[in-house]
Structure formats: structure tokens, C-alpha cells
Amino acid sequence: MNVRKIISSLMAGALLLGLTACSPSAAEQETRPDNEIVTYEPLDPNKTLITLGRYTVFNDAPLKAALEEKFPHIQIASVNAAGTNTVRAYVEKQGEHEDLPDLIFSGMRMGDSKYAYDFSAESFTSRYNLSSLEALDADGSLRQLPVNSAVKGIFYNKTLFEEHGWEIPATRDELFKPCEEISAEGIRPFVPCLKYSVQEVGLGLTNRELLGTSEKRAQYEAVVKGEASCEGLLEPYYSVLRELYDRGIVVEGDFTSSLTKNRQAMYAGEIAMIPAELGMYGLYEEENPDCEIDFIGYPTDTSGERWMQMVPGTNLAAPQRSMDDPDKKQILLDIVDYLSTDEGQDVLFQCFTGISGVKTYQENIRSEFWDVKNCLDKGQLYFADQFGQTSDFETAFDWMRGNMTMDEVIAATDEFEPLDPTAPEPSVAIGTAAEDFTALETSMLMADVMREAAGADAALLLHGTYYKGNSSKIYQGTIDIPDRFNLRSVSKDDALTTYEITGANLKKLMEHPLLNGEEVNALYAFSGLKAEYAPWRDEASNVLSLALADGTEIDDGKLYTVAAWAGTVDESYVSSTVKAHSELGTITDLMTAYLADAGEVSPAKDGRITLNWEQDAA
């Protein structure tokens, strides 16, 4: 059952029965899915449900509140996307199975995808800068609208700097030299997350050398397209990367580090500076740590001159399938029209940061982003597409480690395949499914695989959370895109781990999941257990019953072995760590190996979970 089919049954069934949401009858219960949780908020059968797909991280609360106030006949439910890094391929898979949410917020480019609606004939497109639309144009069609242009620079812990009397670096040398002083305090000075982008840092620190003249910009664009050699251009880029490594500023762990963990470490004063996209400020506001942070451009060899990189940010799409419904089409067009006004942009920029694509709104830059405005006013913004594929980052890593000469790394770079952001992403088949799984059924299968691999009494996997949880689905037929099972913020170092947990704490953590010490309204998908769960009840009373898989009562005083990925179960619930199964690799590795051997797979349908759609009494 997919999201669209679930929503259809929920809304159509409830409308047909004409029942109230406060006291559902047995007949209404039958219209509630028994194998999926679309939303933890009760659905109003008198409103049209609009699903909002989060394929990039942002605080969606202001957007949901504003849309439901502006359009009182709708209800918004957010759907977190799978943790895959091949987002476009997964979106195409969802489109093929008619399972896309109604509004798609993502950082990828749809190109001319037949699954996305073409906005090009809509009048509200005239409010956008032509250049921002041209970046998304696909042979005359416009399948997405720009929400923002992202800005990349350097975040630093301003509180930490002030406490130690450190000055923000005025030149590139001043970025490097104080690193020794900061390191002497036991603090990492400048920590990039190189797992997703090496070029962001290298280009940021050498953009003047690489892009300072029209001739160099032309050569760079030709390199990106694979039409010219990078010799005589990228040497400064590679030199600065090597310098970061040789000085000990960048270490081996940074090649696979988690940006989320780096961000949390910066809040804690363990890291002074991290390069990142301005959108991280929205997370800072949502997380509200006990420190002040600031955002600046990359310093150059000229004192006080800083530059920021401008890149396409988040885009908005609507699936063609939703637009084929005339009533829903008008609702979605009204929403997009509203979001394309200054009033709507005010709402969006409570959720996103960067620079608006709407012409009349571009002057409204927040005062906190003083250096963004400074760079804008001085024209110190540069555009630079990525050269090569993400897999080519390993070449940069080898160079930084000293395993290649400059001639060798230049020659290797010339062999990179050009990156086409709208090209189909190749994927390898890893298994076969007899039928569609819901996201919840997929999470349960993943938990089964974890429990079997660890040999534990039970296994737990957060379900539906953007971070550290699964939101992916398995669809009928060939299973590809292995990294759909990826869990955001669970790094390669976060092994599948067997813990000992008392029965009392097992019950408690199932009712009160904690992420980074904060309770989240989410279900742990499980294996080895049996539960009745009420998604629409108060967060403190979702778990109505919990037992072992065979129905045996859980003994509060007994220790049970529970398998989970490191960092997904709060330490306060754990009695001891039995074993970290590092040899099993990541969840993607584990699921790929399982599906390769399992033959055709189907949802368990073993009755382990009963979803109860009752609500709390008014």
C-alpha cells in the first residue's frame, strides 16, 4: 500500500461513513491502514489532505501552520524522504509507482521528468528571476520552481571565539595559522565534512585563483563539461587541500564524518569552525543550543575580502499524478501561487535560508546574515558547478594523503566523467519483491535483518524520522537503489550494536524515543516483539501493549539483548553494551547482502503490530 492509496482510503472511507474524528466506530477503524503511519496527527475527514515531501532537511512547522491558516479546507502532513543520496533515482521510482507526495521540496533537479508537473505556463512564474528559472529549465519545460539559492561559507561558534579572544580570519593565512592555537586548547579548529563535498572547501579557499578572470571561468566551465584539461587551473585547489591535511587540520575521520555530528560538536565548543551551507542556520534555530553562531565567507589573500559560493538550493515540484485530479490541482496551484508572493516568501524563509528567486523579495535578507549581505553588495559571490562525480572524491583523498603527484592528480581529474544533475542515476539490482511494502513494513523487515544478524532477542529501528530512521519503501519487482536504506546521521562508525536493556527500560524507550536527548514522536519499528500502537494518541500514551513476539510478558527486571544502530537508542536506557558488530558494515551493506540471498521478499504480515487509530478523549 502506498501513500496515495492510504490517503485515498483514509479520506474516502471517512467521508463515506460521515463519522466524527473524536469517537471512531468499528466501521471507521476499518478505513485506517493496518500497515502504515502517514501522520501522527488525527486526520480530519472534512479536509483535503496535502502531503508535503521533505527530501531535504528544513523546519516545516511554519509552512504547515501558514498553509493551513491560509487554506482552512486543507490539512498538511509531512512525509520524510528516504535517506538515499541518489534522490532523483528514488523520486523516479516513487513516480513510477504513483507514490509521490503532493509537494516535493528537494535539492535535486527533476529535469524533464514525466512524473513532475510543468509549471512553465503558469502566470506566477513571471515573479521569479529569469536566471533562477533558466537553471531549472529542461528543453522548455519547468518541472520545478526555485525556493532559494543556497549560500556556502563558514559557520563558527561565536561564543567560543569571544570567550577565547579569537578574531575571525581576515585572510586565508589567518585561517590556517590560528589553527595551532585553537588545537592547543583541545578544540578542532576547522572541520569539513568531506563525505559529501570536497570541492566546497577547496573551491571556497581558492576561488580567486580559479575563477578570478573571465578566461579562468571559461576554462573551469569547460572542465566541468569535460571539454578541457584542468592543467594550469586546478593546481591551487589541490595544493590547499594537501595543505589542510599536512597541517593536521583535516584528518582521516573527516573523509567519512557526519555533518550533523560536526554541527553538534561545534555547538558544544569542541569544534571552532565548520564549512557548511547557510541553511544550517535553520537547524540551529530549531535545535536552540546554548551558544551563538555566525556565518562568514571564505577568506582570500586580501585582508577583509571574503567570498561565498552560490548554488541552486531547494526546489519545489508537484507530481503530475496529483495534478491529474482537477480538485487537487487547483488547491496545489493556489498554494504555489501563494508561496510565490512576498507573503508566501516570508513563510518559506522561516523554513529556509539563502536568497529568494522571487524578484520583489530578494532585498529581504535577515540581519543575522550580515556577511551574506556584505558579499552580495560587493559582488563577492561565485558560481561553480561540480566537476566529476561524487565517487571521484576518492582521488582527492588519495592526493591529500600524499599518494599521488600533482601531475598524477591532474591527469586523473581530466578522466572524470562530467556530472549531469538531471541524468538518470545508474543503479544495481539487489533483489526482488513479490509486492509493494509500506514504509512501516520496510522498517520491520530491516529490523528483522538486524536481529538475525546480531543474534539478539529484539531489534529496534526508528521509523519515519528524518534523522537516524527509515522512511524508504520496497516496491514490487526489482529492488535497486541500495542506499534507499541509508539512515541519515548514522555514520560508517556507528555499527549495529547489541545492548542489554532491562524489560522496564525497553517499555520506557518504546514509549519515549530520544534523539540527542530530546523526545521524538515516532515509533521504533521492531523485531522480536509484539505491540499495539496508537499513533493519534498523546505522545505519552502511544504504546497500548508490548510483549515478546510469542506474546510472553516482558519482565521488568530481566535483561534483554536488543540490536540497534549506535546512536539510535539513548544511553540512559542501556544497561551494558554486549558487542559492536562492525564487521557487518552499514545498514545498506546489511540489506544488500540479505536481499541478494533472500530470493523474492514479501511483507511479514505476522501481526506483530496492531495500529489503533483511537484518539485521546477530548
Side-chain angles (χ1 to χ4, degrees), residues 356-429:
S356 169
V358 172
K359 291 177 284 190
T360 56
Y361 196 77
Q362 286 191 326
E363 293 302 315
N364 299 334
I365 296 178
R366 295 173 55 171
S367 59
E368 297 96 325
F369 307 148
W370 61 274
D371 209 29
V372 177
K373 189 173 191 313
N374 174 59
C375 290
L376 269 173
D377 291 345
K378 294 180 178 179
Q380 292 166 191
L381 295 164
Y382 68 93
F383 297 82
D385 285 332
Q386 179 178 309
F387 54 90
Q389 310 289 329
T390 303
S391 58
D392 296 319
F393 292 175
E394 288 297 332
T395 298
F397 298 162
D398 272 350
W399 157 258
M400 293 169 73
R401 294 181 180 117
N403 296 333
M404 304 177 76
T405 66
M406 181 66 79
D407 288 342
E408 287 172 339
V409 76
I410 292 296
T413 304
D414 284 344
E415 296 299 317
F416 288 175
E417 287 292 324
L419 177 66
D420 181 351
T422 64
E425 296 165 322
S427 187
V428 178

Side-chain angles (χ1 to χ4, degrees), residues 42 67 259:
L67 291 179
L259 182 56

Side-chain angles (χ1 to χ4, degrees), residues 274-289:
I274 59 173
E277 188 260 307
L278 183 59
M280 198 191 87
Y281 199 87
L283 294 174
Y284 163 76
E285 291 183 310
E286 185 176 353
E287 293 161 339
N288 193 29

Side-chain angles (χ1 to χ4, degrees), residues 124-367:
F124 49 69
T125 60
S126 64
R127 301 175 199 153
Y128 290 82
N129 266 329
L130 184 59
S131 59
S132 65
L133 297 182
E134 286 176 340
L136 299 171
D137 177 82
D139 296 326
S141 66
L142 185 64
R143 308 285 176 174
Q144 293 170 288
L145 290 173
V147 173
N148 65 338
S149 290
V151 182
K152 294 185 176 183
I154 300 171
F155 277 100
Y156 69 97
N157 185 322
K158 186 176 180 181
T159 302
L160 189 69
F161 268 64
E162 290 176 349
E163 287 175 353
H164 288 79
W166 300 330
E167 298 290 334
I168 59 174
T171 65
R172 191 168 67 200
D173 282 345
E174 288 186 18
L175 174 67
F176 290 150
K177 289 178 182 177
C179 286
E180 294 181 5
E181 178 185 351
I182 296 173
S183 296
E185 298 284 340
I187 299 167
R188 293 283 313 274
F190 179 79
V191 182
C193 173
L194 301 178
K195 178 168 60 175
Y196 301 118
S197 177
V198 180
Q199 294 180 21
E200 173 184 335
V201 177
L203 292 175
L205 292 171
T206 60
N207 69 83
R208 290 292 305 279
E209 291 94 325
L210 270 59
L211 306 167
T213 67
S214 58
E215 292 81 5
K216 288 185 176 182
R217 287 194 297 273
Q219 184 182 356
Y220 185 86
E221 291 172 7
V223 168
V224 169
K225 296 175 182 177
E227 298 171 352
S229 171
C230 66
E231 185 176 6
L233 178 71
L234 291 186
E235 287 84 355
Y237 163 85
Y238 280 116
S239 294
V240 80
L241 290 179
R242 173 73 67 82
E243 185 174 3
L244 286 169
Y245 191 85
D246 288 347
R247 285 177 176 264
I249 298 170
V250 167
V251 298
E252 281 292 322
D254 298 331
F255 295 154
T256 57
S257 66
S258 161
L259 182 56
T260 301
K261 290 184 177 180
N262 289 351
R263 182 176 75 249
Q264 298 294 336
M266 185 182 69
Y267 296 161
E270 299 164 6
I271 293 176
M273 296 175 281
I274 59 173
E277 188 260 307
L278 183 59
M280 198 191 87
Y281 199 87
L283 294 174
Y284 163 76
E285 291 183 310
E286 185 176 353
E287 293 161 339
N288 193 29
D290 188 23
C291 70
E292 187 177 356
I293 65 173
D294 203 355
F295 184 75
I296 58 173
Y298 283 94
T300 66
D301 54 3
T302 301
S303 181
E305 181 180 310
R306 290 186 293 271
W307 286 68
M308 295 183 182
Q309 184 179 6
M310 203 76 140
V311 295
T314 300
N315 305 308
L316 172 61
Q320 184 62 51
R321 174 72 177 180
S322 296
M323 292 301 205
D324 288 340
D325 176 341
D327 294 334
K328 182 165 280 191
K329 176 180 180 179
Q330 191 55 57
I331 292 171
L332 293 176
L333 287 176
D334 288 346
I335 289 173
V336 178
D337 186 7
Y338 165 68
L339 293 177
S340 302
T341 64
D342 282 1
E343 180 185 351
Q345 292 288 293
D346 271 337
V347 174
L348 282 176
F349 279 84
Q350 294 177 51
C351 310
F352 299 93
T353 54
I355 298 173
S356 169
V358 172
K359 291 177 284 190
T360 56
Y361 196 77
Q362 286 191 326
E363 293 302 315
N364 299 334
I365 296 178
R366 295 173 55 171
S367 59

